[in-house]
Amino acid sequence: MDIVIREARPDEYAELGEITAQAYLKDGLLDQNETDDYANTLRDVARRAAHGEILVAVADDRLLGGVAYAPPGSELADIATGGEAEFRMLAVAREARGRGAGEALVRACIDRARATEGVTRIVMSTQPAMRGAQRLYERLGFTRTPERDWSPVPRLELLTYGLDL
């Protein structure tokens, strides 16, 4: 399967939002169900696009997944500081997993960060249960940055990773 990574089109935002929300819901990463506040945040691709870049993985004209890339200074970033880019909300549809879409999306974020003047590092946060994603990040050279771990809401501790460019 040939996977193409490109910027999302506005007419794809609703579908990508649903792929993202369903990935988190079906993986048991949200405390509640469809009414979880974060599920609605995951569905709001238009808001992310207003503050960063939305990249999608596409094969055979089908959306496989996407990620939000936050360049330096973007209000989309949670943990990035000066000279850092960040990516967030990486998600691949369950039926498309294991085919390289997630890796291709992360590599595209790394490439964007490397091409951005002044960016020396790319960072991200992940939930402890996201072990498959963590293996991917480590395989691509990301290292844990436990001193930056944080909790956006009570009972949700996020692990952080960074990659020097």
Side-chain angles (χ1 to χ4, degrees):
M1 167 171 38
D2 290 332
I3 297 172
V4 174
I5 305 299
R6 61 169 171 74
E7 288 193 35
R9 298 184 313 253
D11 66 317
E12 295 170 319
Y13 291 175
E15 182 180 358
L16 178 58
E18 198 55 36
I19 287 170
T20 306
Q22 290 303 315
Y24 278 66
L25 284 162
K26 290 179 179 172
D27 286 350
L29 301 171
L30 300 176
D31 284 341
Q32 300 170 14
N33 52 25
E34 295 282 339
T35 63
D36 191 294
D37 285 342
Y38 198 60
N40 294 327
T41 299
L42 293 170
R43 287 185 175 100
D44 194 355
V45 177
R47 183 190 175 289
R48 292 195 290 282
H51 301 287
E53 297 176 44
I54 307 301
L55 305 177
V56 291
V58 179
D60 300 323
D61 294 320
R62 198 172 115 239
L63 274 183
L64 306 177
V67 66
Y69 172 78
S74 168
E75 69 179 61
L76 183 60
D78 279 330
I79 63 167
T81 60
E84 294 179 335
E86 183 172 344
F87 68 88
R88 298 187 53 209
M89 301 178 197
L90 172 68
V92 175
R94 290 177 77 89
E95 64 275 7
R97 292 182 183 175
R99 299 180 185 166
E103 180 172 341
L105 287 162
V106 173
R107 286 184 182 278
C109 289
I110 294 168
D111 291 345
R112 275 180 161 57
R114 284 189 172 130
T116 304
E117 186 176 335
V119 174
T120 60
R121 187 170 177 78
I122 187 167
V123 297
M124 47 75 56
S125 302
T126 185
Q127 291 186 30
M130 296 176 167
R131 290 186 187 92
Q134 293 162 23
R135 284 190 298 275
L136 167 64
Y137 305 142
E138 290 167 1
R139 191 172 68 248
L140 295 176
F142 285 81
T143 56
R144 279 277 291 120
T145 53
E147 69 281 3
R148 294 176 79 170
D149 290 356
W150 64 292
S151 180
V153 295
R155 299 184 333 266
L156 177 60
E157 189 70 26
L158 296 180
L159 309 177
T160 61
Y161 283 78
L163 174 68
D164 291 327
L165 302 173

